[in-house]
Amino acid sequence: MKIVIIYGSPRKGNSYKATQIFKDEMNKLSEIEFVEYFLPKDMPNFCRGCNLCFVAGEDKCPDYNYTKPILEQMLLADALIFTTPVYVLQTSGCMKSFLDHFGFLFIVHRPRPEMFRKKAFVIASTVGAGIKDAIKTIATSLKFWGVNRVYSFGFATFGEDWDNMNIKKREKIISRIRKEARKFYQEVASGKIHYPYLYILLMFYIRKMIMKRFERESSLDRRYWTEKGWFTGENSPFRKLGGKAP
Ligand SMILES: Cc1cc2nc3c(=O)[nH]c(=O)nc-3n(C[C@H](O)[C@H](O)[C@H](O)COP(=O)(O)O)c2cc1C
């Protein structure tokens, strides 16, 4: 099993330490290849808003030298893990900037069929607040990439860093992380593909309708959809997922 991890902070603090426990627990169940990227080192630039990824192709992004290898690894992986500390009640800025660079993968643009088979897990830590929104920002992007299921775990430190934390409290967090890691491993190993998130499915069909009515034949998204057989309906990124997926 291969898993890509995107760390939303260079700090080897609470989120990092929790992630190491998650990794160790998964590794107990089978040998896993983890490919790790640290932000902002592995994506040091903000999205410039040039729109080139949308209209001319992701290879025209001024940061393509950063996005290309990461996307290649993510597409090859069986699962993805994203981590973030809560910063001002949200996901970290470098994580948001990372996600901005992959907007072209959204279901309404050029999602990759490989994503529709993947599971993802988001780990977040906070002193006390913001977990829900921080996780939601990441999970929303992943769902819009087509990722089949996104799971998460967030914990509050109440201001005590990992190593100084009350032992009982830390043990409780560790035990929960281990439990989540075992569940996630089983979920990924099962290869089970769940019915797509309904609003993602809906977005796909709405986008197709809009494309048919309003979009130039030469547009990049429309050419991509045509090439994949999604535009005519002869294929869909959900179709080959087994079960009752449309
Ligand atoms: C710039 C910054 C903003 C933060 N904002 C919040 C916040 O809004 N709410 C909160 O409860 N904790 C906040 N924190 C605390 C971190 O979320 C918390 O310490 C977290 O566990 C740090 O994760 P790390 O050790 O992986 O870096 C903030 C920390 C920093 C550095």
Side-chain angles (χ1 to χ4, degrees):
M1 188 183 288
K2 175 175 172 133
I3 298 187
V4 167
I5 307 183
I6 311 288
Y7 292 93
S9 160
R11 219 172 85 89
K12 301 211 163 153
N14 304 321
S15 330
Y16 177 84
K17 282 173 184 156
T19 308
Q20 303 320 297
I21 293 163
F22 196 94
K23 275 172 63 183
D24 290 348
E25 193 66 20
M26 288 189 88
N27 252 333
K28 281 185 201 159
L29 300 170
S30 95
E31 201 176 311
I32 298 174
E33 182 197 351
F34 290 102
V35 179
E36 302 179 296
Y37 294 101
F38 288 85
L39 304 176
K41 176 175 74 63
D42 294 315
M43 168 46 70
N45 301 325
F46 287 113
C47 166
R48 294 156 178 79
C50 63
N51 272 315
L52 286 173
C53 62
F54 295 123
V55 298
E58 60 270 22
D59 56 331
K60 304 294 182 300
C61 172
D63 295 322
Y64 188 54
N65 55 329
Y66 292 106
T67 56
K68 181 178 187 274
I70 301 178
L71 179 58
E72 278 171 3
Q73 288 300 320
M74 289 200 295
L75 293 176
L76 288 171
D78 299 291
L80 311 172
I81 296 176
F82 284 70
T83 79
T84 187
V86 169
Y87 285 172
V88 289
L89 301 178
Q90 257 295 351
T91 188
S92 67
C94 54
M95 178 59 85
K96 177 64 170 64
S97 175
F98 174 87
L99 295 171
D100 292 344
H101 279 88
F102 292 98
F104 67 88
L105 289 180
F106 266 35
I107 188 78
V108 292
H109 295 293
R110 300 188 308 282
R112 297 299 166 90
E114 293 93 323
M115 287 292 178
F116 292 75
R117 313 196 65 82
K118 290 190 207 304
K119 313 285 171 55
F121 201 98
V122 183
I123 298 173
S125 77
T126 175
V127 163
I131 278 290
K132 212 170 146 199
D133 286 340
I135 289 174
K136 192 172 172 209
T137 296
I138 300 172
T140 300
S141 258
L142 299 182
K143 289 174 187 174
F144 272 79
W145 293 359
V147 170
N148 182 243
R149 276 295 176 274
V150 183
Y151 303 94
S152 64
F153 174 65
F155 63 96
T157 63
F158 300 109
E160 297 162 325
D161 256 354
W162 190 265
D163 294 325
N164 307 320
M165 208 183 279
N166 171 291
I167 292 180
K168 252 190 171 166
K169 191 165 94 187
R170 193 171 59 205
E171 285 307 317
K172 213 169 153 192
I173 296 171
I174 291 175
S175 137
R176 181 71 198 283
I177 293 167
R178 289 201 172 122
K179 191 171 157 207
E180 294 294 334
R182 288 193 295 273
K183 266 194 341 206
F184 188 61
Y185 173 83
Q186 297 302 347
E187 168 69 338
V188 178
S190 76
K192 182 175 160 63
I193 305 297
H194 303 272
Y195 197 83
Y197 292 112
L198 274 181
Y199 63 95
I200 298 298
L201 201 55
L202 194 65
M203 284 286 159
F204 179 78
Y205 288 109
I206 291 174
R207 177 68 175 118
K208 186 151 77 174
M209 196 179 72
I210 291 173
M211 212 180 258
K212 275 196 171 145
R213 287 198 177 183
F214 304 112
E215 198 142 324
R216 285 173 295 113
E217 274 181 35
S218 60
S219 93
L220 189 61
D221 287 357
R222 185 160 158 174
R223 278 189 283 132
Y224 180 82
W225 282 49
T226 304
E227 191 187 290
K228 295 271 180 247
W230 301 344
F231 186 66
T232 55
E234 100 204 42
N235 202 352
S236 106
F238 305 101
R239 188 158 296 165
K240 291 192 181 127
L241 297 180
K244 287 186 189 155

